Amino acid sequence: MIFARLGAVLLMLPGVGESYVPPRIRLSLALVMSLALWPVVSGSLPGLPATLGGMAGWIIREVLVGIAIGALLRMFLTALATAGEVVALQTTLAFAQTANPTQAAPGSTISAFLMILGITLIFATNTHHLFIAGLVGSYELIAPARPLVTGDFASMAVRTVGDAFMLGIQLSAPVLVFAIIFNLASGLVGRVMPAFQVYFAAAPLSIILGLSVFALSLGVMGTVFIDRYRDLARIFAGSAGG
């Protein structure tokens, strides 16, 4: 039962659950973590069911709980994808598509860069330690012997997606402000000088200046994202720390 929940979480966990990580590595890590956490969480586990069908039901339930927890942690990464797409649109680089190793579909180059940056920050700041503490805390928040709280999961998933989208817009705010000012200035130049080819002069400047603003705000973007992500991870780790 422990392996069922941990294995499902690791399938969705950022960094470990990516498609480029071999499945054997993920399963081996889940097995090692299950053996390590068994003395800690064994008191929260119910007695073994008397029938094979009952045992299968417990395992399916634990897999669903693990997928739900991992999905919540992965949903928040969409904040970086949203910020990257907005920045790409405002700097006219949205047409530059590249293979995103963290997603099944290709995306803009800036979005792929921010996603990889976010995963790097998670491991560089030891946020993945909160994941382990959260796995222990999940057995107190969502004990196997208690009913499955599907309503709470659904409401938290909706709130997480909304917060991720709002954070993505906030992270891309410097580039958005620059794009508004630059487009207004380009429009005024076009009105004052109708014969001037504004597009040919504005497109290179939009890319150069937009990427410069993006580079200057990159440190703040990473700091704000990792702080918000650690707050989300502490929700699951809070009961373990208590």
Side-chain angles (χ1 to χ4, degrees), residues 16 19 30 57 82 94 99-100 123 126 146 154-155 171 177 185 187 199:
V16 181
S19 58
T82 302
N100 193 336
F123 286 94
N126 291 328
R146 296 178 184 175
S155 60
L171 294 177
V177 173
Y199 175 78

Side-chain angles (χ1 to χ4, degrees), residues 60-80:
I60 293 174
R61 180 189 185 280
E62 290 300 293
V63 169
L64 294 177
V65 171
I67 291 176
I69 294 175
L72 288 175
L73 294 174
R74 178 165 287 276
M75 283 177 187
F76 205 75
L77 279 179
T78 57
L80 293 176

Side-chain angles (χ1 to χ4, degrees), residues 218-230:
L218 191 58
V220 178
M221 291 173 63
T223 303
V224 172
F225 167 76
I226 199 62
D227 287 343
R228 293 286 298 275
Y229 198 83
R230 288 175 70 89

Side-chain angles (χ1 to χ4, degrees), residues 45-159:
L45 299 178
L48 292 177
T51 62
L52 181 61
M55 188 64 190
W58 280 113
I59 292 177
I60 293 174
R61 180 189 185 280
E62 290 300 293
V63 169
L64 294 177
V65 171
I67 291 176
I69 294 175
L72 288 175
L73 294 174
R74 178 165 287 276
M75 283 177 187
F76 205 75
L77 279 179
T78 57
L80 293 176
T82 302
E85 294 295 336
V86 171
V87 172
L89 286 171
Q90 300 303 321
T91 56
T92 68
L93 292 176
F95 61 88
Q97 299 288 309
T98 185
N100 193 336
T102 61
Q103 295 180 347
S108 64
T109 304
I110 297 179
S111 178
F113 168 73
L114 287 179
M115 292 288 287
I116 296 176
L117 175 65
I119 294 176
T120 303
L121 288 175
I122 289 173
F123 286 94
T125 57
N126 291 328
T127 305
H128 59 288
H129 293 172
L130 293 176
F131 295 160
I132 301 176
L135 292 175
V136 178
S138 68
Y139 282 92
E140 299 183 13
L141 292 173
I142 316 166
R146 296 178 184 175
L148 192 61
V149 284
T150 55
D152 293 341
F153 270 126
S155 60
M156 188 171 184
V158 173
R159 187 168 65 251

Side-chain angles (χ1 to χ4, degrees), residues 26-50:
R26 283 180 282 181
L27 292 175
S28 301
L29 180 61
L31 180 60
V32 171
M33 291 180 62
S34 300
L35 295 175
L37 296 181
W38 177 74
V40 181
V41 302
S42 58
S44 302
L45 299 178
L48 292 177

